Amino acid sequence: MNKEIIEIFSMTDKKCFIDCTLGLGGHSHEILKAFPNSKIIGLDLDSESLSIAEKNLGVFSSRISLMKMNFLSLTEKPDLFGQEISGVLIDPGISMFQLQNAERGFSHNKEEFLDMRKDKAQETTAFDVINTFNESKLAEIFINYGEVSKARLLAKKIIEARLFKKTIQTTLDLKNIINQIYPPFVPKGKSHPAAKVFMALRIYINRELEGLEIFTANLAELLKTGARIIWLTYHSLEDRIIKKTFRELAKEKMVSLIKPFPSVPAAAEIAVNSASRSAKLRAAEVI
Ligand SMILES: C[S@@+](CC[C@H](N)C(=O)[O-])C[C@H]1O[C@@H](n2cnc3c(N)ncnc32)[C@H](O)[C@@H]1O
Protein backbone atom coordinates (compact mmCIF):
# COMPACT_ATOMS: atom_id res chain seq x y z
CA MET A 1 0.00 0.00 0.00
CA ASN A 2 2.91 2.27 -0.81
CA LYS A 3 0.86 4.60 -3.00
CA GLU A 4 -1.68 5.22 -0.28
CA ILE A 5 1.01 5.85 2.33
CA ILE A 6 2.67 8.43 0.08
CA GLU A 7 -0.69 10.12 -0.61
CA ILE A 8 -1.48 10.37 3.10
CA PHE A 9 1.97 11.71 4.01
CA SER A 10 1.97 14.13 1.07
CA MET A 11 -0.57 16.24 2.99
CA THR A 12 1.94 16.93 5.80
CA ASP A 13 4.89 19.34 5.90
CA LYS A 14 7.08 16.35 4.89
CA LYS A 15 10.02 17.20 7.19
CA CYS A 16 10.79 14.02 9.09
CA PHE A 17 8.97 10.69 9.28
CA ILE A 18 9.39 7.89 11.78
CA ASP A 19 9.19 4.40 10.30
CA CYS A 20 8.53 2.39 13.49
CA THR A 21 8.92 -0.97 11.78
CA LEU A 22 11.64 -0.45 9.20
CA GLY A 23 12.01 -4.09 8.09
CA LEU A 24 14.24 -4.04 5.03
CA GLY A 25 13.31 -0.41 4.38
CA GLY A 26 10.76 -0.85 1.58
CA HIS A 27 8.30 1.83 2.74
CA SER A 28 11.06 4.17 3.90
CA HIS A 29 12.66 3.94 0.47
CA GLU A 30 9.41 5.07 -1.17
CA ILE A 31 8.94 7.92 1.30
CA LEU A 32 12.51 9.21 0.85
CA LYS A 33 12.12 8.99 -2.92
CA ALA A 34 8.74 10.77 -2.95
CA PHE A 35 9.77 13.60 -0.60
CA PRO A 36 13.37 14.61 -1.46
CA ASN A 37 13.73 17.07 1.44
CA SER A 38 12.49 14.69 4.10
CA LYS A 39 14.37 12.59 6.65
CA ILE A 40 13.53 9.20 8.09
CA ILE A 41 14.11 7.81 11.54
CA GLY A 42 13.84 4.04 11.14
CA LEU A 43 13.33 1.64 14.05
CA ASP A 44 13.28 -2.13 14.24
CA LEU A 45 13.72 -4.80 16.89
CA ASP A 46 15.67 -7.02 14.55
CA SER A 47 19.38 -6.20 14.13
CA GLU A 48 19.68 -8.37 11.02
CA SER A 49 16.87 -6.50 9.25
CA LEU A 50 18.38 -3.16 10.27
CA SER A 51 21.73 -4.04 8.67
CA ILE A 52 20.05 -5.04 5.41
CA ALA A 53 17.87 -1.89 5.48
CA GLU A 54 20.96 0.27 5.96
CA LYS A 55 22.40 -1.13 2.73
CA ASN A 56 19.06 -0.89 0.89
CA LEU A 57 18.75 2.78 1.87
CA GLY A 58 22.42 3.54 1.14
CA VAL A 59 21.64 6.17 -1.51
CA PHE A 60 19.75 8.18 1.12
CA SER A 61 22.40 7.76 3.83
CA SER A 62 22.54 11.49 4.71
CA ARG A 63 18.77 11.53 5.35
CA ILE A 64 18.33 8.45 7.52
CA SER A 65 18.95 7.53 11.16
CA LEU A 66 18.36 3.88 11.93
CA MET A 67 18.25 2.32 15.37
CA LYS A 68 17.43 -0.92 17.12
CA MET A 69 14.47 -0.05 19.28
CA ASN A 70 11.03 -1.32 20.21
CA PHE A 71 8.66 1.30 18.83
CA LEU A 72 6.67 1.11 22.08
CA SER A 73 9.57 2.98 23.72
CA LEU A 74 9.29 5.85 21.26
CA THR A 75 6.84 7.79 23.38
CA GLU A 76 9.33 7.68 26.25
CA LYS A 77 11.34 10.17 24.16
CA PRO A 78 9.20 13.29 24.59
CA ASP A 79 11.37 15.39 22.23
CA LEU A 80 11.05 12.69 19.52
CA PHE A 81 14.80 12.78 18.81
CA GLY A 82 14.70 16.58 18.58
CA GLN A 83 13.05 16.44 15.16
CA GLU A 84 9.82 17.97 13.92
CA ILE A 85 7.91 14.83 13.09
CA SER A 86 5.51 15.03 10.15
CA GLY A 87 4.26 11.46 10.21
CA VAL A 88 4.66 8.07 11.82
CA LEU A 89 4.23 4.73 10.08
CA ILE A 90 3.65 1.49 11.97
CA ASP A 91 3.66 -1.68 9.85
CA PRO A 92 4.13 -4.39 12.47
CA GLY A 93 4.15 -8.19 12.37
CA ILE A 94 6.99 -9.87 10.49
CA SER A 95 8.56 -9.26 7.11
CA MET A 96 8.85 -11.76 4.26
CA PHE A 97 12.57 -11.77 5.01
CA GLN A 98 11.92 -12.88 8.59
CA LEU A 99 9.36 -15.44 7.46
CA GLN A 100 11.38 -16.97 4.65
CA ASN A 101 15.07 -16.27 5.17
CA ALA A 102 15.87 -15.38 8.74
CA GLU A 103 15.80 -18.97 10.06
CA ARG A 104 13.81 -17.99 13.15
CA GLY A 105 11.12 -20.67 12.94
CA PHE A 106 8.30 -18.30 11.87
CA SER A 107 7.22 -20.48 8.93
CA HIS A 108 5.46 -23.84 9.19
CA ASN A 109 6.62 -24.63 5.65
CA LYS A 110 10.25 -25.45 6.41
CA GLU A 111 12.15 -27.13 9.16
CA GLU A 112 13.81 -24.71 11.57
CA PHE A 113 14.38 -24.47 15.30
CA LEU A 114 11.22 -23.23 17.08
CA ASP A 115 12.53 -19.78 17.92
CA MET A 116 10.13 -17.02 16.77
CA ARG A 117 11.92 -14.14 18.50
CA LYS A 118 12.18 -10.97 16.43
CA ASP A 119 14.72 -9.61 18.89
CA LYS A 120 17.37 -12.26 19.43
CA ALA A 121 18.33 -10.61 22.73
CA GLN A 122 14.99 -11.60 24.19
CA GLU A 123 14.99 -14.73 26.38
CA THR A 124 11.85 -16.76 25.75
CA THR A 125 11.55 -18.74 22.51
CA ALA A 126 8.63 -20.69 21.06
CA PHE A 127 10.58 -23.83 21.98
CA ASP A 128 10.39 -22.82 25.67
CA VAL A 129 6.67 -22.16 25.46
CA ILE A 130 5.79 -25.37 23.61
CA ASN A 131 7.98 -27.53 25.84
CA THR A 132 7.34 -26.04 29.28
CA PHE A 133 3.90 -24.39 29.42
CA ASN A 134 1.01 -26.42 30.83
CA GLU A 135 -2.02 -27.50 28.81
CA SER A 136 -4.36 -24.71 29.87
CA LYS A 137 -1.75 -21.98 29.28
CA LEU A 138 -1.02 -23.33 25.79
CA ALA A 139 -4.75 -23.46 24.96
CA GLU A 140 -5.14 -19.90 26.26
CA ILE A 141 -2.37 -18.67 23.92
CA PHE A 142 -3.90 -20.43 20.90
CA ILE A 143 -7.37 -19.02 21.68
CA ASN A 144 -6.40 -15.49 22.69
CA TYR A 145 -3.80 -14.79 20.02
CA GLY A 146 -4.85 -17.00 17.11
CA GLU A 147 -8.56 -17.71 17.59
CA VAL A 148 -7.46 -21.29 16.85
CA SER A 149 -10.27 -23.85 16.60
CA LYS A 150 -9.78 -27.07 18.60
CA ALA A 151 -7.21 -25.16 20.69
CA ARG A 152 -7.77 -27.32 23.80
CA LEU A 153 -7.36 -30.54 21.84
CA LEU A 154 -4.17 -29.20 20.26
CA ALA A 155 -2.78 -28.27 23.68
CA LYS A 156 -3.58 -31.78 24.93
CA LYS A 157 -1.82 -33.36 21.93
CA ILE A 158 1.27 -31.20 22.54
CA ILE A 159 1.47 -32.36 26.17
CA GLU A 160 1.06 -35.99 25.01
CA ALA A 161 3.79 -35.54 22.37
CA ARG A 162 6.09 -34.08 25.02
CA LEU A 163 5.66 -37.18 27.19
CA PHE A 164 6.32 -39.42 24.24
CA LYS A 165 9.02 -37.54 22.37
CA LYS A 166 10.45 -35.49 25.27
CA THR A 167 11.03 -32.29 23.26
CA ILE A 168 9.35 -30.64 20.32
CA GLN A 169 12.37 -29.11 18.72
CA THR A 170 11.44 -27.79 15.29
CA THR A 171 8.66 -26.12 13.32
CA LEU A 172 7.89 -29.41 11.59
CA ASP A 173 7.73 -31.33 14.90
CA LEU A 174 4.97 -28.90 15.87
CA LYS A 175 3.30 -29.03 12.46
CA ASN A 176 3.14 -32.84 12.65
CA ILE A 177 1.14 -32.56 15.89
CA ILE A 178 -1.14 -29.93 14.34
CA ASN A 179 -1.69 -32.23 11.34
CA GLN A 180 -3.02 -34.95 13.64
CA ILE A 181 -6.14 -32.97 14.52
CA TYR A 182 -7.15 -31.00 11.44
CA PRO A 183 -8.31 -32.41 8.09
CA PRO A 184 -5.32 -33.01 5.78
CA PHE A 185 -6.97 -31.23 2.86
CA VAL A 186 -6.65 -27.41 2.86
CA PRO A 187 -9.23 -25.80 0.53
CA LYS A 188 -7.79 -23.55 -2.18
CA GLY A 189 -7.40 -19.95 -1.00
CA LYS A 190 -7.45 -20.99 2.70
CA SER A 191 -4.39 -21.06 4.95
CA HIS A 192 -3.09 -24.21 6.56
CA PRO A 193 -4.40 -24.52 10.18
CA ALA A 194 -0.77 -24.31 11.32
CA ALA A 195 -0.70 -20.66 10.17
CA LYS A 196 -3.00 -19.57 13.03
CA VAL A 197 -1.14 -21.65 15.60
CA PHE A 198 2.21 -20.18 14.50
CA MET A 199 0.72 -16.67 14.49
CA ALA A 200 -0.59 -17.14 18.04
CA LEU A 201 2.82 -18.27 19.27
CA ARG A 202 4.61 -15.44 17.48
CA ILE A 203 2.24 -12.83 18.94
CA TYR A 204 2.70 -14.27 22.43
CA ILE A 205 6.50 -14.56 22.23
CA ASN A 206 6.95 -11.04 20.88
CA ARG A 207 4.10 -9.51 22.99
CA GLU A 208 2.70 -8.03 19.80
CA LEU A 209 -0.65 -6.90 21.19
CA GLU A 210 0.63 -5.32 24.39
CA GLY A 211 0.63 -1.56 24.82
CA LEU A 212 -0.64 -0.59 21.36
CA GLU A 213 -3.52 1.61 22.65
CA ILE A 214 -1.39 3.54 25.11
CA PHE A 215 1.43 3.91 22.56
CA THR A 216 -0.97 5.35 19.95
CA ALA A 217 -2.60 7.70 22.46
CA ASN A 218 0.76 8.94 23.76
CA LEU A 219 1.97 9.44 20.21
CA ALA A 220 -1.09 11.55 19.36
CA GLU A 221 -0.33 13.64 22.44
CA LEU A 222 3.34 14.15 21.52
CA LEU A 223 2.99 14.88 17.81
CA LYS A 224 2.33 18.37 16.50
CA THR A 225 -0.96 19.38 14.89
CA GLY A 226 -1.14 18.17 11.31
CA ALA A 227 1.18 15.20 11.81
CA ARG A 228 -0.24 11.95 10.50
CA ILE A 229 -0.20 8.44 11.95
CA ILE A 230 -0.57 5.43 9.67
CA TRP A 231 -1.17 1.94 11.07
CA LEU A 232 -1.11 -1.19 8.95
CA THR A 233 -2.58 -4.24 10.63
CA TYR A 234 -2.50 -7.85 9.50
CA HIS A 235 -5.01 -9.65 11.66
CA SER A 236 -8.35 -8.89 13.24
CA LEU A 237 -7.06 -8.86 16.84
CA GLU A 238 -4.60 -6.07 16.08
CA ASP A 239 -7.01 -4.23 13.82
CA ARG A 240 -9.74 -4.19 16.51
CA ILE A 241 -7.34 -2.50 18.93
CA ILE A 242 -6.30 0.20 16.45
CA LYS A 243 -9.85 0.83 15.22
CA LYS A 244 -11.08 1.31 18.81
CA THR A 245 -8.10 3.48 19.80
CA PHE A 246 -8.40 5.79 16.80
CA ARG A 247 -12.17 6.14 17.41
CA GLU A 248 -11.64 7.02 21.06
CA LEU A 249 -8.94 9.56 20.20
CA ALA A 250 -11.25 11.08 17.60
CA LYS A 251 -14.03 11.36 20.21
CA GLU A 252 -11.60 13.15 22.53
CA LYS A 253 -10.74 15.51 19.65
CA MET A 254 -7.09 14.49 19.71
CA VAL A 255 -7.12 13.23 16.12
CA SER A 256 -9.35 13.31 13.10
CA LEU A 257 -9.80 10.12 11.13
CA ILE A 258 -8.45 10.44 7.61
CA LYS A 259 -10.73 7.70 6.33
CA PRO A 260 -13.84 6.44 8.10
CA PHE A 261 -13.13 2.89 6.87
CA PRO A 262 -9.79 1.10 6.52
CA SER A 263 -8.15 0.70 3.13
CA VAL A 264 -7.26 -2.75 1.89
CA PRO A 265 -4.73 -3.69 -0.81
CA ALA A 266 -5.80 -3.72 -4.43
CA ALA A 267 -6.20 -7.10 -6.18
CA ALA A 268 -3.03 -6.41 -8.18
CA GLU A 269 -0.98 -6.00 -4.99
CA ILE A 270 -2.43 -9.20 -3.50
CA ALA A 271 -1.57 -11.06 -6.72
CA VAL A 272 2.09 -10.05 -6.38
CA ASN A 273 2.29 -10.32 -2.60
CA SER A 274 -0.24 -12.78 -1.19
CA ALA A 275 0.83 -12.00 2.39
CA SER A 276 -0.73 -8.55 1.97
CA ARG A 277 -4.25 -10.00 1.58
CA SER A 278 -5.14 -9.46 5.22
CA ALA A 279 -3.64 -5.96 5.48
CA LYS A 280 -5.73 -2.99 6.56
CA LEU A 281 -4.57 0.60 6.60
CA ARG A 282 -5.96 3.09 9.10
CA ALA A 283 -4.79 6.67 9.33
CA ALA A 284 -5.42 9.68 11.53
CA GLU A 285 -4.25 13.30 11.71
CA VAL A 286 -3.29 14.93 14.97
CA ILE A 287 -5.53 17.91 15.80
C1 LIG B 1 5.91 -6.12 8.11
S1 LIG B 1 7.59 -5.85 8.50
C2 LIG B 1 7.84 -4.19 7.97
C3 LIG B 1 8.23 -4.10 6.54
C4 LIG B 1 8.65 -2.69 6.14
N1 LIG B 1 7.56 -1.76 6.27
C5 LIG B 1 9.20 -2.67 4.73
O1 LIG B 1 8.61 -1.95 3.89
O2 LIG B 1 10.21 -3.34 4.46
C6 LIG B 1 7.56 -5.65 10.22
C7 LIG B 1 8.89 -5.27 10.85
O3 LIG B 1 8.59 -4.67 12.11
C8 LIG B 1 9.49 -5.11 13.07
N2 LIG B 1 8.80 -4.99 14.35
C9 LIG B 1 7.70 -5.66 14.75
N3 LIG B 1 7.33 -5.23 15.97
C10 LIG B 1 8.21 -4.26 16.35
C11 LIG B 1 8.35 -3.43 17.50
N4 LIG B 1 7.52 -3.51 18.53
N5 LIG B 1 9.34 -2.51 17.50
C12 LIG B 1 10.20 -2.41 16.46
N6 LIG B 1 10.13 -3.17 15.35
C13 LIG B 1 9.14 -4.09 15.30
C14 LIG B 1 9.81 -6.55 12.66
O4 LIG B 1 11.04 -6.96 13.18
C15 LIG B 1 9.81 -6.43 11.14
O5 LIG B 1 11.08 -6.16 10.63
Side-chain angles (χ1 to χ4, degrees), residues 253-286:
K253 305 260 179 286
M254 287 175 72
V255 303
S256 64
L257 301 182
I258 295 174
K259 287 169 194 275
F261 298 104
S263 306
V264 292
E269 181 170 351
I270 297 173
V272 181
N273 172 15
S274 67
S276 71
R277 68 182 181 277
S278 47
K280 284 189 177 157
L281 181 154
R282 294 183 184 271
E285 180 173 301
V286 176

mmCIF file of all heavy atoms in Angstrom, residues 253-286:
data_model
loop_
_atom_site.group_PDB
_atom_site.id
_atom_site.type_symbol
_atom_site.label_atom_id
_atom_site.label_comp_id
_atom_site.label_asym_id
_atom_site.label_seq_id
_atom_site.Cartn_x
_atom_site.Cartn_y
_atom_site.Cartn_z
ATOM 1 N N LYS A 253 -11.231 14.409 20.501
ATOM 2 C CA LYS A 253 -10.741 15.509 19.646
ATOM 3 C C LYS A 253 -9.210 15.625 19.664
ATOM 4 O O LYS A 253 -8.636 16.709 19.597
ATOM 5 C CB LYS A 253 -11.356 16.862 20.078
ATOM 6 C CG LYS A 253 -12.869 16.889 20.118
ATOM 7 C CD LYS A 253 -13.405 17.556 18.862
ATOM 8 C CE LYS A 253 -14.906 17.623 18.785
ATOM 9 N NZ LYS A 253 -15.590 16.372 18.484
ATOM 10 N N MET A 254 -8.563 14.469 19.791
ATOM 11 C CA MET A 254 -7.089 14.489 19.708
ATOM 12 C C MET A 254 -6.636 14.225 18.283
ATOM 13 O O MET A 254 -5.551 14.653 17.882
ATOM 14 C CB MET A 254 -6.509 13.426 20.636
ATOM 15 C CG MET A 254 -6.630 13.822 22.091
ATOM 16 S SD MET A 254 -6.073 12.506 23.139
ATOM 17 C CE MET A 254 -4.309 12.548 22.891
ATOM 18 N N VAL A 255 -7.451 13.481 17.537
ATOM 19 C CA VAL A 255 -7.117 13.231 16.119
ATOM 20 C C VAL A 255 -8.391 13.332 15.292
ATOM 21 O O VAL A 255 -9.504 13.287 15.826
ATOM 22 C CB VAL A 255 -6.526 11.805 15.883
ATOM 23 C CG1 VAL A 255 -5.290 11.553 16.712
ATOM 24 C CG2 VAL A 255 -7.556 10.709 16.129
ATOM 25 N N SER A 256 -8.212 13.500 13.997
ATOM 26 C CA SER A 256 -9.353 13.313 13.098
ATOM 27 C C SER A 256 -9.025 12.115 12.212
ATOM 28 O O SER A 256 -7.858 11.924 11.833
ATOM 29 C CB SER A 256 -9.614 14.573 12.264
ATOM 30 O OG SER A 256 -8.520 14.789 11.431
ATOM 31 N N LEU A 257 -10.051 11.324 11.924
ATOM 32 C CA LEU A 257 -9.805 10.118 11.125
ATOM 33 C C LEU A 257 -9.686 10.523 9.664
ATOM 34 O O LEU A 257 -10.534 11.257 9.138
ATOM 35 C CB LEU A 257 -10.947 9.116 11.311
ATOM 36 C CG LEU A 257 -11.183 8.655 12.761
ATOM 37 C CD1 LEU A 257 -12.297 7.629 12.843
ATOM 38 C CD2 LEU A 257 -9.897 8.086 13.355
ATOM 39 N N ILE A 258 -8.649 10.062 9.008
ATOM 40 C CA ILE A 258 -8.447 10.438 7.608
ATOM 41 C C ILE A 258 -9.422 9.695 6.721
ATOM 42 O O ILE A 258 -9.931 10.227 5.749
ATOM 43 C CB ILE A 258 -6.973 10.213 7.199
ATOM 44 C CG1 ILE A 258 -6.116 11.178 8.007
ATOM 45 C CG2 ILE A 258 -6.759 10.423 5.711
ATOM 46 C CD1 ILE A 258 -4.639 11.013 7.843
ATOM 47 N N LYS A 259 -9.722 8.462 7.084
ATOM 48 C CA LYS A 259 -10.731 7.703 6.334
ATOM 49 C C LYS A 259 -11.648 7.038 7.351
ATOM 50 O O LYS A 259 -11.155 6.444 8.313
ATOM 51 C CB LYS A 259 -10.078 6.586 5.514
ATOM 52 C CG LYS A 259 -9.324 7.081 4.327
ATOM 53 C CD LYS A 259 -8.505 5.937 3.764
ATOM 54 C CE LYS A 259 -7.475 6.463 2.800
ATOM 55 N NZ LYS A 259 -7.935 6.656 1.476
ATOM 56 N N PRO A 260 -12.960 7.091 7.116
ATOM 57 C CA PRO A 260 -13.842 6.441 8.095
ATOM 58 C C PRO A 260 -13.692 4.923 8.097
ATOM 59 O O PRO A 260 -13.898 4.279 9.107
ATOM 60 C CB PRO A 260 -15.248 6.854 7.649
ATOM 61 C CG PRO A 260 -15.105 7.409 6.283
ATOM 62 C CD PRO A 260 -13.684 7.777 6.059
ATOM 63 N N PHE A 261 -13.290 4.351 6.946
ATOM 64 C CA PHE A 261 -13.129 2.893 6.866
ATOM 65 C C PHE A 261 -11.686 2.576 6.465
ATOM 66 O O PHE A 261 -11.061 3.358 5.765
ATOM 67 C CB PHE A 261 -14.092 2.289 5.833
ATOM 68 C CG PHE A 261 -15.514 2.522 6.205
ATOM 69 C CD1 PHE A 261 -16.268 3.485 5.549
ATOM 70 C CD2 PHE A 261 -16.094 1.801 7.252
ATOM 71 C CE1 PHE A 261 -17.575 3.728 5.934
ATOM 72 C CE2 PHE A 261 -17.393 2.032 7.625
ATOM 73 C CZ PHE A 261 -18.141 3.001 6.967
ATOM 74 N N PRO A 262 -11.191 1.399 6.868
ATOM 75 C CA PRO A 262 -9.794 1.101 6.519
ATOM 76 C C PRO A 262 -9.647 0.816 5.035
ATOM 77 O O PRO A 262 -10.596 0.380 4.386
ATOM 78 C CB PRO A 262 -9.509 -0.175 7.320
ATOM 79 C CG PRO A 262 -10.826 -0.814 7.525
ATOM 80 C CD PRO A 262 -11.827 0.294 7.616
ATOM 81 N N SER A 263 -8.440 1.071 4.520
ATOM 82 C CA SER A 263 -8.149 0.696 3.125
ATOM 83 C C SER A 263 -7.577 -0.700 3.123
ATOM 84 O O SER A 263 -6.893 -1.103 4.071
ATOM 85 C CB SER A 263 -7.084 1.611 2.546
ATOM 86 O OG SER A 263 -7.478 2.923 2.699
ATOM 87 N N VAL A 264 -7.832 -1.404 2.051
ATOM 88 C CA VAL A 264 -7.259 -2.747 1.892
ATOM 89 C C VAL A 264 -6.473 -2.774 0.580
ATOM 90 O O VAL A 264 -6.716 -1.949 -0.304
ATOM 91 C CB VAL A 264 -8.374 -3.833 1.902
ATOM 92 C CG1 VAL A 264 -9.025 -3.936 3.263
ATOM 93 C CG2 VAL A 264 -9.404 -3.573 0.821
ATOM 94 N N PRO A 265 -5.538 -3.700 0.423
ATOM 95 C CA PRO A 265 -4.733 -3.688 -0.805
ATOM 96 C C PRO A 265 -5.554 -4.000 -2.051
ATOM 97 O O PRO A 265 -6.545 -4.739 -1.962
ATOM 98 C CB PRO A 265 -3.704 -4.807 -0.573
ATOM 99 C CG PRO A 265 -3.900 -5.297 0.790
ATOM 100 C CD PRO A 265 -5.157 -4.782 1.338
ATOM 101 N N ALA A 266 -5.120 -3.449 -3.156
ATOM 102 C CA ALA A 266 -5.798 -3.722 -4.432
ATOM 103 C C ALA A 266 -5.495 -5.162 -4.855
ATOM 104 O O ALA A 266 -4.493 -5.745 -4.434
ATOM 105 C CB ALA A 266 -5.267 -2.760 -5.488
ATOM 106 N N ALA A 267 -6.376 -5.712 -5.715
ATOM 107 C CA ALA A 267 -6.202 -7.103 -6.176
ATOM 108 C C ALA A 267 -4.825 -7.305 -6.804
ATOM 109 O O ALA A 267 -4.188 -8.349 -6.592
ATOM 110 C CB ALA A 267 -7.302 -7.446 -7.170
ATOM 111 N N ALA A 268 -4.331 -6.277 -7.518
ATOM 112 C CA ALA A 268 -3.027 -6.414 -8.185
ATOM 113 C C ALA A 268 -1.919 -6.598 -7.152
ATOM 114 O O ALA A 268 -0.984 -7.382 -7.360
ATOM 115 C CB ALA A 268 -2.766 -5.176 -9.035
ATOM 116 N N GLU A 269 -2.017 -5.872 -6.036
ATOM 117 C CA GLU A 269 -0.981 -6.000 -4.992
ATOM 118 C C GLU A 269 -1.048 -7.398 -4.351
ATOM 119 O O GLU A 269 -0.011 -8.034 -4.111
ATOM 120 C CB GLU A 269 -1.168 -4.923 -3.920
ATOM 121 C CG GLU A 269 -0.096 -5.015 -2.849
ATOM 122 C CD GLU A 269 -0.055 -3.844 -1.880
ATOM 123 O OE1 GLU A 269 -0.742 -2.826 -2.102
ATOM 124 O OE2 GLU A 269 0.678 -3.965 -0.880
ATOM 125 N N ILE A 270 -2.272 -7.872 -4.126
ATOM 126 C CA ILE A 270 -2.430 -9.203 -3.502
ATOM 127 C C ILE A 270 -1.871 -10.280 -4.436
ATOM 128 O O ILE A 270 -1.239 -11.240 -3.988
ATOM 129 C CB ILE A 270 -3.914 -9.470 -3.156
ATOM 130 C CG1 ILE A 270 -4.386 -8.443 -2.113
ATOM 131 C CG2 ILE A 270 -4.125 -10.889 -2.628
ATOM 132 C CD1 ILE A 270 -5.848 -8.464 -1.794
ATOM 133 N N ALA A 271 -2.067 -10.069 -5.754
ATOM 134 C CA ALA A 271 -1.573 -11.059 -6.721
ATOM 135 C C ALA A 271 -0.043 -11.168 -6.649
ATOM 136 O O ALA A 271 0.526 -12.251 -6.757
ATOM 137 C CB ALA A 271 -2.019 -10.681 -8.121
ATOM 138 N N VAL A 272 0.630 -10.035 -6.436
ATOM 139 C CA VAL A 272 2.095 -10.055 -6.381
ATOM 140 C C VAL A 272 2.588 -10.476 -4.992
ATOM 141 O O VAL A 272 3.589 -11.161 -4.846
ATOM 142 C CB VAL A 272 2.651 -8.635 -6.697
ATOM 143 C CG1 VAL A 272 4.168 -8.620 -6.677
ATOM 144 C CG2 VAL A 272 2.130 -8.158 -8.035
ATOM 145 N N ASN A 273 1.856 -10.051 -3.969
ATOM 146 C CA ASN A 273 2.290 -10.321 -2.596
ATOM 147 C C ASN A 273 1.092 -10.862 -1.811
ATOM 148 O O ASN A 273 0.308 -10.100 -1.250
ATOM 149 C CB ASN A 273 2.827 -9.000 -1.996
ATOM 150 C CG ASN A 273 3.113 -9.117 -0.514
ATOM 151 O OD1 ASN A 273 3.192 -10.219 0.036
ATOM 152 N ND2 ASN A 273 3.255 -7.978 0.143
ATOM 153 N N SER A 274 0.960 -12.188 -1.781
ATOM 154 C CA SER A 274 -0.242 -12.783 -1.189
ATOM 155 C C SER A 274 -0.325 -12.515 0.316
ATOM 156 O O SER A 274 -1.401 -12.484 0.896
ATOM 157 C CB SER A 274 -0.298 -14.281 -1.478
ATOM 158 O OG SER A 274 0.754 -14.911 -0.794
ATOM 159 N N ALA A 275 0.840 -12.268 0.940
ATOM 160 C CA ALA A 275 0.828 -12.001 2.390
ATOM 161 C C ALA A 275 0.100 -10.699 2.715
ATOM 162 O O ALA A 275 -0.309 -10.469 3.853
ATOM 163 C CB ALA A 275 2.256 -11.939 2.905
ATOM 164 N N SER A 276 -0.077 -9.839 1.700
ATOM 165 C CA SER A 276 -0.731 -8.549 1.966
ATOM 166 C C SER A 276 -2.255 -8.677 2.022
ATOM 167 O O SER A 276 -2.946 -7.724 2.327
ATOM 168 C CB SER A 276 -0.344 -7.528 0.882
ATOM 169 O OG SER A 276 -0.967 -7.880 -0.343
ATOM 170 N N ARG A 277 -2.787 -9.893 1.744
ATOM 171 C CA ARG A 277 -4.245 -10.001 1.584
ATOM 172 C C ARG A 277 -5.038 -9.637 2.839
ATOM 173 O O ARG A 277 -6.172 -9.210 2.751
ATOM 174 C CB ARG A 277 -4.637 -11.388 1.070
ATOM 175 C CG ARG A 277 -4.408 -12.527 2.030
ATOM 176 C CD ARG A 277 -4.780 -13.864 1.378
ATOM 177 N NE ARG A 277 -4.588 -14.966 2.283
ATOM 178 C CZ ARG A 277 -3.423 -15.577 2.500
ATOM 179 N NH1 ARG A 277 -2.357 -15.184 1.853
ATOM 180 N NH2 ARG A 277 -3.335 -16.569 3.367
ATOM 181 N N SER A 278 -4.395 -9.789 4.002
ATOM 182 C CA SER A 278 -5.143 -9.465 5.224
ATOM 183 C C SER A 278 -4.830 -8.055 5.744
ATOM 184 O O SER A 278 -5.292 -7.672 6.814
ATOM 185 C CB SER A 278 -4.827 -10.510 6.293
ATOM 186 O OG SER A 278 -3.431 -10.701 6.341
ATOM 187 N N ALA A 279 -4.046 -7.283 4.976
ATOM 188 C CA ALA A 279 -3.635 -5.965 5.481
ATOM 189 C C ALA A 279 -4.778 -4.962 5.476
ATOM 190 O O ALA A 279 -5.631 -4.963 4.587
ATOM 191 C CB ALA A 279 -2.485 -5.434 4.624
ATOM 192 N N LYS A 280 -4.786 -4.110 6.508
ATOM 193 C CA LYS A 280 -5.732 -2.988 6.561
ATOM 194 C C LYS A 280 -4.951 -1.750 6.940
ATOM 195 O O LYS A 280 -4.073 -1.821 7.814
ATOM 196 C CB LYS A 280 -6.792 -3.237 7.622
ATOM 197 C CG LYS A 280 -7.834 -4.238 7.195
ATOM 198 C CD LYS A 280 -8.969 -4.292 8.174
ATOM 199 C CE LYS A 280 -10.010 -5.274 7.648
ATOM 200 N NZ LYS A 280 -10.832 -5.792 8.714
ATOM 201 N N LEU A 281 -5.267 -0.647 6.287
ATOM 202 C CA LEU A 281 -4.565 0.597 6.600
ATOM 203 C C LEU A 281 -5.547 1.557 7.272
ATOM 204 O O LEU A 281 -6.635 1.793 6.748
ATOM 205 C CB LEU A 281 -4.016 1.199 5.309
ATOM 206 C CG LEU A 281 -3.217 2.497 5.404
ATOM 207 C CD1 LEU A 281 -2.236 2.600 4.234
ATOM 208 C CD2 LEU A 281 -4.097 3.734 5.439
ATOM 209 N N ARG A 282 -5.153 2.069 8.418
ATOM 210 C CA ARG A 282 -5.961 3.085 9.103
ATOM 211 C C ARG A 282 -5.065 4.300 9.333
ATOM 212 O O ARG A 282 -3.875 4.142 9.651
ATOM 213 C CB ARG A 282 -6.481 2.580 10.444
ATOM 214 C CG ARG A 282 -7.479 1.435 10.313
ATOM 215 C CD ARG A 282 -8.054 0.982 11.639
ATOM 216 N NE ARG A 282 -8.911 -0.163 11.430
ATOM 217 C CZ ARG A 282 -10.223 -0.088 11.153
ATOM 218 N NH1 ARG A 282 -10.828 1.079 11.077
ATOM 219 N NH2 ARG A 282 -10.923 -1.190 10.967
ATOM 220 N N ALA A 283 -5.628 5.479 9.183
ATOM 221 C CA ALA A 283 -4.789 6.669 9.327
ATOM 222 C C ALA A 283 -5.550 7.775 10.036
ATOM 223 O O ALA A 283 -6.769 7.897 9.912
ATOM 224 C CB ALA A 283 -4.348 7.145 7.944
ATOM 225 N N ALA A 284 -4.804 8.570 10.800
ATOM 226 C CA ALA A 284 -5.421 9.682 11.535
ATOM 227 C C ALA A 284 -4.467 10.874 11.521
ATOM 228 O O ALA A 284 -3.259 10.709 11.387
ATOM 229 C CB ALA A 284 -5.690 9.252 12.969
ATOM 230 N N GLU A 285 -5.070 12.071 11.647
ATOM 231 C CA GLU A 285 -4.255 13.296 11.707
ATOM 232 C C GLU A 285 -4.394 13.929 13.088
ATOM 233 O O GLU A 285 -5.506 14.026 13.612
ATOM 234 C CB GLU A 285 -4.727 14.269 10.620
ATOM 235 C CG GLU A 285 -3.919 15.546 10.629
ATOM 236 C CD GLU A 285 -4.270 16.452 9.452
ATOM 237 O OE1 GLU A 285 -4.122 16.029 8.284
ATOM 238 O OE2 GLU A 285 -4.710 17.590 9.735
ATOM 239 N N VAL A 286 -3.273 14.337 13.639
ATOM 240 C CA VAL A 286 -3.292 14.933 14.968
ATOM 241 C C VAL A 286 -3.906 16.339 14.885
ATOM 242 O O VAL A 286 -3.571 17.132 14.010
ATOM 243 C CB VAL A 286 -1.850 15.008 15.550
ATOM 244 C CG1 VAL A 286 -1.818 15.719 16.890
ATOM 245 C CG2 VAL A 286 -1.278 13.591 15.648
#
